[in-house]
Amino acid sequence: MLRCLAIDDEPLALRQLTVYISKLPYLELVATCNNALEAQRIVTSEKIDLIFVDINMPDLNGVDFVRSLIGVRPMVIFTTAYSDYAVEGFRLDAVDYLLKPFSLADFSRATAKANALHELRQQAQRSTDSTTPLAEPAPTPAPVPSPTPSEEQSTEPTPAAQPTALPSAEQEYISVKADYKLSLIRLDEILYLESEGEYVRIHLANGQKITTLYRIKNMEAELPADRFMRVHRSYIVNLKAIRSYMRGRIYLNEEFYLPIGEHYKEAFQRYIGKTYKNI
């Protein structure tokens, strides 16, 4: 059950959120607020798993409200009538961005993503709790020489489960930990990978989706660069799955496309020019 907080300065919008939340059995409405300042007090006093927040509000807008949250931030779904804020919303690792007016179907899809992410976090926590041994006195380590600058460890947090990969020339599969098991995934079956904050959702050609606790930039480093390309801060695409591209979009079929991020356009254009220059 996801404990929810709804924030909107429009009474009708709050009423709609209340009705939609009541229709989904995995959501529990803890409170509604008509301003972000009131919401800040509730977040500090109540356990909140998911926040629905409008962006354009007086005193403190939704984006600044989310930035102000300290510690472990609840999941966030932005609701707004203005599409201009979508990029800023996703920079804050929002689960989704609902453009008003949105239907119950749109709302349900967004909250289903949040619920799946919540369940994965709970599974990861249970797995960690069940495998953590009792503390024992640590032996005194032998002195080791200080590392050279090239040997320094990264300060990036280590993901809970690392995918294993063979060298590019030999690699046909990648294995990822999901649902208490290691899933062996054939690279040719991957269409694209989607970032979900600290998780990556792998979309397969057969329609299956596998979500694993792993950051997309680490996944990018594990995949063979001659077969997969980062085209957006949220997406890695299988280059063999591309059917066409135009106007900053990569089409995987006639209807479905991935956006090309501004910082990735030049590299993608170089790849297209080099690979298809004789066509």
Side-chain angles (χ1 to χ4, degrees):
M1 182 73 73
L2 293 177
R3 291 171 55 82
C4 305
L5 173 63
I7 313 166
D8 203 305
D9 61 329
E10 298 177 8
L12 288 177
L14 270 183
R15 189 180 307 166
Q16 182 190 50
L17 283 171
T18 301
V19 171
Y20 283 178
I21 289 171
S22 69
K23 292 181 179 293
L24 298 178
Y26 53 84
L27 300 181
E28 175 190 353
L29 182 60
V30 175
T32 60
C33 303
N34 56 22
N35 65 80
L37 297 178
E38 180 186 356
Q40 283 180 325
R41 292 191 290 270
I42 293 175
V43 170
T44 57
S45 61
E46 296 279 354
K47 179 182 181 298
I48 302 296
D49 300 310
L50 176 61
I51 297 173
F52 300 95
V53 58
D54 187 21
I55 291 182
N56 276 348
M57 293 189 296
D59 298 325
L60 184 65
N61 68 46
V63 170
D64 290 336
F65 163 72
V66 173
R67 286 201 190 103
S68 73
L69 299 179
I70 300 173
V72 180
R73 183 187 296 166
M75 294 178 291
V76 174
I77 294 176
F78 285 109
T79 63
T80 183
Y82 303 93
S83 60
D84 298 345
Y85 295 97
V87 172
E88 189 63 30
F90 284 115
R91 282 177 181 163
L92 294 171
D93 288 330
V95 173
D96 213 333
Y97 183 100
L98 291 172
L99 192 61
K100 297 177 182 177
F102 50 86
S103 66
L104 177 59
D106 294 331
F107 181 83
S108 181
R109 279 192 291 269
T111 56
K113 290 170 62 177
N115 192 42
L117 186 58
H118 179 67
E119 289 178 354
L120 279 168
R121 288 175 177 174
Q122 287 187 320
Q123 289 174 4
Q125 184 60 50
R126 286 195 296 267
S127 178
T128 300
D129 293 343
S130 63
T131 57
T132 301
L134 295 176
E136 295 182 1
T140 303
V144 294
S146 299
T148 63
S150 62
E151 296 171 334
E152 289 285 354
Q153 295 288 330
S154 169
T155 58
E156 180 84 9
T158 302
Q162 303 233 358
T164 57
L166 297 172
S168 176
E170 305 173 17
Q171 188 176 352
E172 292 297 331
Y173 295 87
I174 193 168
S175 62
V176 297
K177 188 175 181 182
D179 297 328
Y180 299 105
K181 63 184 178 183
L182 279 176
S183 295
L184 193 62
I185 305 172
R186 190 176 179 86
L187 294 182
D188 287 343
E189 296 177 352
I190 298 174
L191 291 179
Y192 67 100
L193 301 93
E194 178 183 11
S195 173
E196 295 280 355
E198 295 182 355
Y199 296 80
V200 169
R201 181 167 295 171
I202 304 171
H203 296 258
L204 304 183
N206 63 4
Q208 184 182 2
K209 301 173 186 177
I210 298 174
T211 306
T212 183
L213 179 59
Y214 203 70
R215 292 186 179 180
I216 195 167
K217 69 177 180 180
N218 301 104
M219 186 71 78
E220 178 186 10
E222 297 292 338
L223 291 167
D226 59 337
R227 298 167 67 180
F228 291 84
M229 179 178 287
R230 183 86 171 268
V231 295
H232 189 276
R233 68 184 302 272
S234 298
Y235 299 108
I236 297 173
V237 67
N238 183 343
L239 295 170
K240 293 182 179 180
I242 297 174
R243 295 294 170 261
S244 62
Y245 81 98
M246 64 180 295
R247 297 177 183 175
R249 297 175 175 180
I250 297 171
Y251 284 83
L252 304 187
N253 57 44
E254 291 184 359
E255 297 181 353
F256 183 79
Y257 67 86
L258 300 176
I260 304 176
E262 191 65 36
H263 297 298
Y264 303 91
K265 285 183 178 178
E266 185 177 344
F268 183 76
Q269 290 290 345
R270 284 199 304 268
Y271 163 77
I272 291 295
K274 179 181 178 181
T275 307
Y276 301 104
K277 59 184 178 182
N278 294 323
I279 297 179

